[in-house]
Short mmCIF file of all heavy atoms in Angstrom, two decimals:
data_model
loop_
_atom_site.label_atom_id
_atom_site.label_comp_id
_atom_site.label_asym_id
_atom_site.label_seq_id
_atom_site.Cartn_x
_atom_site.Cartn_y
_atom_site.Cartn_z
N GLU A 1 -30.85 302.12 -16.74
CA GLU A 1 -29.74 301.21 -16.71
C GLU A 1 -28.63 301.71 -17.64
O GLU A 1 -27.41 301.38 -17.39
CB GLU A 1 -30.18 299.85 -17.11
CG GLU A 1 -30.98 299.05 -15.98
CD GLU A 1 -31.19 297.65 -16.32
OE1 GLU A 1 -31.28 297.33 -17.57
OE2 GLU A 1 -31.33 296.81 -15.36
N HIS A 2 -28.95 302.35 -18.67
CA HIS A 2 -27.95 302.85 -19.65
C HIS A 2 -27.73 304.39 -19.60
O HIS A 2 -27.04 304.89 -20.47
CB HIS A 2 -28.38 302.44 -21.09
CG HIS A 2 -28.38 300.89 -21.22
ND1 HIS A 2 -27.30 300.20 -21.64
CD2 HIS A 2 -29.41 300.01 -21.08
CE1 HIS A 2 -27.60 298.89 -21.71
NE2 HIS A 2 -28.79 298.78 -21.36
N GLY A 3 -28.25 304.97 -18.60
CA GLY A 3 -28.05 306.37 -18.48
C GLY A 3 -26.67 306.78 -17.90
O GLY A 3 -25.92 305.90 -17.43
N GLU A 4 -26.38 308.07 -17.92
CA GLU A 4 -25.06 308.49 -17.46
C GLU A 4 -25.04 308.80 -15.95
O GLU A 4 -23.99 308.90 -15.36
CB GLU A 4 -24.61 309.73 -18.27
CG GLU A 4 -24.46 309.41 -19.74
CD GLU A 4 -24.00 310.73 -20.52
OE1 GLU A 4 -23.84 311.82 -19.84
OE2 GLU A 4 -23.84 310.56 -21.76
N GLN A 5 -26.20 308.98 -15.36
CA GLN A 5 -26.28 309.35 -13.91
C GLN A 5 -26.20 308.12 -13.08
O GLN A 5 -27.06 307.21 -13.22
CB GLN A 5 -27.60 310.13 -13.66
CG GLN A 5 -27.86 310.52 -12.23
CD GLN A 5 -26.73 311.37 -11.71
OE1 GLN A 5 -25.76 310.89 -11.06
NE2 GLN A 5 -26.89 312.68 -11.87
N ASN A 6 -25.18 308.01 -12.20
CA ASN A 6 -25.00 306.84 -11.39
C ASN A 6 -25.51 307.03 -9.96
O ASN A 6 -25.67 306.03 -9.26
CB ASN A 6 -23.52 306.46 -11.31
CG ASN A 6 -22.96 306.03 -12.70
OD1 ASN A 6 -23.71 305.31 -13.40
ND2 ASN A 6 -21.82 306.40 -13.06
N PHE A 7 -25.75 308.30 -9.54
CA PHE A 7 -26.06 308.51 -8.14
C PHE A 7 -27.30 307.78 -7.72
O PHE A 7 -28.43 307.97 -8.27
CB PHE A 7 -26.20 310.03 -7.84
CG PHE A 7 -26.53 310.33 -6.45
CD1 PHE A 7 -25.55 310.28 -5.43
CD2 PHE A 7 -27.80 310.79 -6.15
CE1 PHE A 7 -25.88 310.52 -4.13
CE2 PHE A 7 -28.14 311.07 -4.78
CZ PHE A 7 -27.11 311.01 -3.79
N LEU A 8 -27.25 306.84 -6.74
CA LEU A 8 -28.42 306.05 -6.22
C LEU A 8 -29.20 305.35 -7.31
O LEU A 8 -30.35 305.10 -7.18
CB LEU A 8 -29.35 306.92 -5.39
CG LEU A 8 -28.78 307.52 -4.11
CD1 LEU A 8 -29.85 308.42 -3.44
CD2 LEU A 8 -28.42 306.40 -3.15
N ARG A 9 -28.45 304.96 -8.35
CA ARG A 9 -29.13 304.20 -9.46
C ARG A 9 -29.74 302.97 -8.98
O ARG A 9 -30.86 302.57 -9.38
CB ARG A 9 -28.10 303.93 -10.56
CG ARG A 9 -28.68 303.01 -11.67
CD ARG A 9 -27.66 302.79 -12.76
NE ARG A 9 -27.55 303.91 -13.61
CZ ARG A 9 -26.55 304.12 -14.47
NH1 ARG A 9 -25.62 303.20 -14.61
NH2 ARG A 9 -26.50 305.21 -15.21
N ASP A 10 -29.13 302.24 -8.06
CA ASP A 10 -29.64 300.94 -7.59
C ASP A 10 -30.98 301.17 -6.90
O ASP A 10 -31.90 300.32 -7.07
CB ASP A 10 -28.62 300.24 -6.62
CG ASP A 10 -28.26 301.10 -5.43
OD1 ASP A 10 -28.37 302.37 -5.48
OD2 ASP A 10 -27.85 300.52 -4.39
N LYS A 11 -31.14 302.25 -6.17
CA LYS A 11 -32.40 302.51 -5.46
C LYS A 11 -33.53 302.89 -6.46
O LYS A 11 -34.67 302.43 -6.35
CB LYS A 11 -32.24 303.58 -4.43
CG LYS A 11 -31.26 303.34 -3.28
CD LYS A 11 -31.82 302.12 -2.52
CE LYS A 11 -30.89 301.87 -1.32
NZ LYS A 11 -31.33 300.57 -0.63
N LEU A 12 -33.14 303.62 -7.47
CA LEU A 12 -34.14 304.09 -8.47
C LEU A 12 -34.60 302.79 -9.26
O LEU A 12 -35.78 302.63 -9.62
CB LEU A 12 -33.56 305.12 -9.35
CG LEU A 12 -34.55 305.86 -10.28
CD1 LEU A 12 -35.68 306.49 -9.44
CD2 LEU A 12 -33.85 306.88 -11.11
N LEU A 13 -33.63 301.92 -9.62
CA LEU A 13 -33.97 300.79 -10.35
C LEU A 13 -34.90 299.82 -9.52
O LEU A 13 -35.85 299.22 -10.00
CB LEU A 13 -32.77 300.02 -10.79
CG LEU A 13 -31.97 300.58 -12.02
CD1 LEU A 13 -30.67 299.93 -12.25
CD2 LEU A 13 -32.82 300.54 -13.29
N GLU A 14 -34.53 299.73 -8.25
CA GLU A 14 -35.32 298.84 -7.34
C GLU A 14 -36.75 299.32 -7.36
O GLU A 14 -37.75 298.64 -7.39
CB GLU A 14 -34.78 298.77 -6.00
CG GLU A 14 -35.58 297.89 -5.03
CD GLU A 14 -34.94 297.77 -3.64
OE1 GLU A 14 -34.00 298.50 -3.31
OE2 GLU A 14 -35.44 296.95 -2.90
N ALA A 15 -36.95 300.68 -7.27
CA ALA A 15 -38.26 301.30 -7.17
C ALA A 15 -38.98 301.01 -8.48
O ALA A 15 -40.21 300.76 -8.47
CB ALA A 15 -38.13 302.78 -6.91
N ALA A 16 -38.24 301.16 -9.60
CA ALA A 16 -38.94 300.94 -10.90
C ALA A 16 -39.31 299.46 -11.11
O ALA A 16 -40.46 299.17 -11.66
CB ALA A 16 -37.97 301.32 -12.02
N PHE A 17 -38.62 298.48 -10.71
CA PHE A 17 -38.91 297.15 -10.77
C PHE A 17 -40.04 296.79 -9.85
O PHE A 17 -40.99 295.99 -10.23
CB PHE A 17 -37.74 296.15 -10.45
CG PHE A 17 -36.82 295.90 -11.59
CD1 PHE A 17 -35.66 296.58 -11.79
CD2 PHE A 17 -37.18 294.92 -12.55
CE1 PHE A 17 -34.85 296.38 -12.87
CE2 PHE A 17 -36.30 294.61 -13.59
CZ PHE A 17 -35.18 295.34 -13.79
N LEU A 18 -40.08 297.41 -8.69
CA LEU A 18 -41.25 297.19 -7.75
C LEU A 18 -42.46 297.79 -8.38
O LEU A 18 -43.54 297.18 -8.31
CB LEU A 18 -40.92 297.94 -6.42
CG LEU A 18 -40.03 297.16 -5.49
CD1 LEU A 18 -39.61 298.15 -4.26
CD2 LEU A 18 -40.73 295.95 -4.87
N GLU A 19 -42.38 298.95 -9.03
CA GLU A 19 -43.55 299.58 -9.65
C GLU A 19 -44.10 298.64 -10.79
O GLU A 19 -45.36 298.39 -10.88
CB GLU A 19 -43.19 300.93 -10.24
CG GLU A 19 -44.38 301.55 -10.95
CD GLU A 19 -44.03 302.87 -11.70
OE1 GLU A 19 -42.84 303.19 -11.71
OE2 GLU A 19 -44.94 303.49 -12.26
N PHE A 20 -43.13 298.09 -11.54
CA PHE A 20 -43.59 297.23 -12.65
C PHE A 20 -44.35 296.00 -12.08
O PHE A 20 -45.42 295.57 -12.54
CB PHE A 20 -42.37 296.75 -13.45
CG PHE A 20 -42.73 295.66 -14.47
CD1 PHE A 20 -43.25 296.01 -15.72
CD2 PHE A 20 -42.54 294.35 -14.18
CE1 PHE A 20 -43.60 295.03 -16.62
CE2 PHE A 20 -42.90 293.33 -15.06
CZ PHE A 20 -43.44 293.71 -16.34
N MET A 21 -43.74 295.38 -11.05
CA MET A 21 -44.34 294.15 -10.48
C MET A 21 -45.67 294.43 -9.79
O MET A 21 -46.66 293.61 -9.91
CB MET A 21 -43.41 293.48 -9.51
CG MET A 21 -42.22 292.80 -10.20
SD MET A 21 -42.74 291.67 -11.50
CE MET A 21 -43.81 290.54 -10.67
N VAL A 22 -45.86 295.57 -9.18
CA VAL A 22 -47.14 295.89 -8.51
C VAL A 22 -48.20 296.08 -9.61
O VAL A 22 -49.30 295.61 -9.48
CB VAL A 22 -46.92 297.19 -7.62
CG1 VAL A 22 -48.33 297.68 -7.21
CG2 VAL A 22 -46.12 296.83 -6.35
N LEU A 23 -47.84 296.87 -10.67
CA LEU A 23 -48.80 297.08 -11.68
C LEU A 23 -49.16 295.78 -12.43
O LEU A 23 -50.24 295.59 -12.87
CB LEU A 23 -48.13 298.15 -12.72
CG LEU A 23 -48.09 299.56 -12.23
CD1 LEU A 23 -47.37 300.42 -13.33
CD2 LEU A 23 -49.43 300.11 -11.86
N PHE A 24 -48.08 294.96 -12.60
CA PHE A 24 -48.36 293.71 -13.33
C PHE A 24 -49.28 292.78 -12.51
O PHE A 24 -50.24 292.20 -13.06
CB PHE A 24 -47.02 292.94 -13.55
CG PHE A 24 -47.12 291.78 -14.44
CD1 PHE A 24 -47.06 291.87 -15.82
CD2 PHE A 24 -47.33 290.48 -13.86
CE1 PHE A 24 -47.21 290.81 -16.66
CE2 PHE A 24 -47.41 289.38 -14.69
CZ PHE A 24 -47.30 289.55 -16.05
N ASN A 25 -49.10 292.75 -11.18
CA ASN A 25 -49.93 291.92 -10.37
C ASN A 25 -51.36 292.43 -10.30
O ASN A 25 -52.29 291.74 -10.32
CB ASN A 25 -49.37 291.82 -8.96
CG ASN A 25 -48.32 290.70 -8.81
OD1 ASN A 25 -48.67 289.55 -8.72
ND2 ASN A 25 -47.10 291.13 -8.81
N ARG A 26 -51.43 293.78 -10.24
CA ARG A 26 -52.77 294.44 -10.25
C ARG A 26 -53.54 294.03 -11.49
O ARG A 26 -54.76 293.82 -11.50
CB ARG A 26 -52.67 295.92 -10.05
CG ARG A 26 -52.27 296.33 -8.65
CD ARG A 26 -52.17 297.87 -8.52
NE ARG A 26 -51.95 298.27 -7.19
CZ ARG A 26 -51.93 299.59 -6.80
NH1 ARG A 26 -52.01 300.52 -7.74
NH2 ARG A 26 -51.70 299.86 -5.49
N ALA A 27 -52.83 294.13 -12.62
CA ALA A 27 -53.49 293.80 -13.88
C ALA A 27 -53.93 292.34 -13.95
O ALA A 27 -55.02 292.02 -14.48
CB ALA A 27 -52.42 294.06 -15.09
N CYS A 28 -53.15 291.45 -13.37
CA CYS A 28 -53.51 290.07 -13.32
C CYS A 28 -54.82 289.85 -12.50
O CYS A 28 -55.70 289.06 -12.87
CB CYS A 28 -52.43 289.16 -12.73
SG CYS A 28 -50.96 288.94 -13.81
N ILE A 29 -54.86 290.53 -11.32
CA ILE A 29 -56.04 290.43 -10.48
C ILE A 29 -57.18 291.08 -11.07
O ILE A 29 -58.36 290.44 -10.94
CB ILE A 29 -55.65 291.06 -9.04
CG1 ILE A 29 -54.55 290.29 -8.41
CG2 ILE A 29 -56.88 291.15 -8.23
CD1 ILE A 29 -53.95 291.00 -7.21
N ALA A 30 -57.05 292.17 -11.73
CA ALA A 30 -58.20 292.90 -12.33
C ALA A 30 -58.69 292.21 -13.63
O ALA A 30 -59.88 292.30 -13.93
CB ALA A 30 -57.81 294.33 -12.65
N GLN A 31 -57.79 291.49 -14.30
CA GLN A 31 -58.21 290.82 -15.56
C GLN A 31 -57.85 289.37 -15.60
O GLN A 31 -56.98 288.91 -16.32
CB GLN A 31 -57.41 291.56 -16.74
CG GLN A 31 -57.70 293.02 -16.87
CD GLN A 31 -56.86 293.63 -17.93
OE1 GLN A 31 -56.82 293.19 -19.12
NE2 GLN A 31 -56.09 294.70 -17.60
N PRO A 32 -58.52 288.55 -14.75
CA PRO A 32 -58.20 287.10 -14.76
C PRO A 32 -58.44 286.41 -16.04
O PRO A 32 -57.76 285.41 -16.33
CB PRO A 32 -59.21 286.56 -13.63
CG PRO A 32 -60.29 287.59 -13.56
CD PRO A 32 -59.63 288.93 -13.85
N LYS A 33 -59.27 286.98 -16.92
CA LYS A 33 -59.50 286.33 -18.24
C LYS A 33 -58.31 286.68 -19.16
O LYS A 33 -58.33 286.23 -20.30
CB LYS A 33 -60.82 286.79 -18.80
CG LYS A 33 -61.96 286.26 -18.03
CD LYS A 33 -63.37 286.62 -18.72
CE LYS A 33 -64.52 286.02 -17.94
NZ LYS A 33 -65.78 286.44 -18.58
N ALA A 34 -57.35 287.48 -18.73
CA ALA A 34 -56.22 287.74 -19.59
C ALA A 34 -55.31 286.52 -19.78
O ALA A 34 -54.50 286.43 -20.71
CB ALA A 34 -55.42 288.92 -18.99
N PHE A 35 -55.42 285.54 -18.86
CA PHE A 35 -54.64 284.34 -18.96
C PHE A 35 -55.08 283.54 -20.26
O PHE A 35 -56.33 283.21 -20.36
CB PHE A 35 -54.75 283.46 -17.78
CG PHE A 35 -53.93 283.96 -16.59
CD1 PHE A 35 -54.50 284.76 -15.63
CD2 PHE A 35 -52.60 283.60 -16.41
CE1 PHE A 35 -53.74 285.23 -14.55
CE2 PHE A 35 -51.91 284.04 -15.38
CZ PHE A 35 -52.43 284.83 -14.44
N ILE A 36 -54.24 283.28 -21.18
CA ILE A 36 -54.57 282.59 -22.45
C ILE A 36 -54.84 281.15 -22.11
O ILE A 36 -54.04 280.44 -21.48
CB ILE A 36 -53.32 282.77 -23.36
CG1 ILE A 36 -52.99 284.18 -23.68
CG2 ILE A 36 -53.71 282.01 -24.69
CD1 ILE A 36 -54.15 285.01 -24.28
N THR A 37 -55.90 280.68 -22.69
CA THR A 37 -56.33 279.26 -22.49
C THR A 37 -56.27 278.41 -23.78
O THR A 37 -56.87 277.34 -23.79
CB THR A 37 -57.80 279.25 -21.94
OG1 THR A 37 -58.66 279.83 -22.95
CG2 THR A 37 -57.93 279.92 -20.65
N THR A 38 -55.53 278.92 -24.71
CA THR A 38 -55.46 278.28 -26.05
C THR A 38 -54.17 277.50 -26.32
O THR A 38 -53.78 277.28 -27.46
CB THR A 38 -55.72 279.25 -27.19
OG1 THR A 38 -54.73 280.33 -27.09
CG2 THR A 38 -57.12 279.86 -27.15
N ALA A 39 -53.51 277.17 -25.20
CA ALA A 39 -52.28 276.36 -25.36
C ALA A 39 -52.53 274.99 -26.03
O ALA A 39 -53.57 274.42 -25.76
CB ALA A 39 -51.54 276.21 -23.97
N VAL A 40 -51.60 274.52 -26.76
CA VAL A 40 -51.67 273.21 -27.34
C VAL A 40 -50.83 272.22 -26.47
O VAL A 40 -49.69 272.53 -26.12
CB VAL A 40 -51.08 273.19 -28.82
CG1 VAL A 40 -51.09 271.82 -29.38
CG2 VAL A 40 -51.87 274.12 -29.62
N TYR A 41 -51.47 271.16 -26.13
CA TYR A 41 -50.79 270.16 -25.27
C TYR A 41 -51.48 268.84 -25.26
O TYR A 41 -52.65 268.70 -25.66
CB TYR A 41 -50.67 270.63 -23.83
CG TYR A 41 -52.04 270.89 -23.16
CD1 TYR A 41 -52.60 269.95 -22.28
CD2 TYR A 41 -52.67 272.12 -23.35
CE1 TYR A 41 -53.79 270.15 -21.66
CE2 TYR A 41 -53.95 272.33 -22.68
CZ TYR A 41 -54.50 271.39 -21.89
OH TYR A 41 -55.65 271.58 -21.23
N HIS A 42 -50.69 267.77 -24.82
CA HIS A 42 -51.20 266.42 -24.74
C HIS A 42 -51.76 266.30 -23.32
O HIS A 42 -51.03 266.40 -22.33
CB HIS A 42 -50.11 265.38 -24.96
CG HIS A 42 -50.59 264.02 -25.10
ND1 HIS A 42 -51.29 263.33 -24.11
CD2 HIS A 42 -50.46 263.07 -26.09
CE1 HIS A 42 -51.53 262.11 -24.42
NE2 HIS A 42 -51.07 261.92 -25.67
#
């Protein structure tokens, strides 16, 4: 986002966000116990 090369930057950023979200979802599915259960609430 802060680099000097502008050519097809939007496509590269879209691919990078897609990669992040795929990896994030895979981590959630593989590690269901990663969800924190120690919230404080009424």
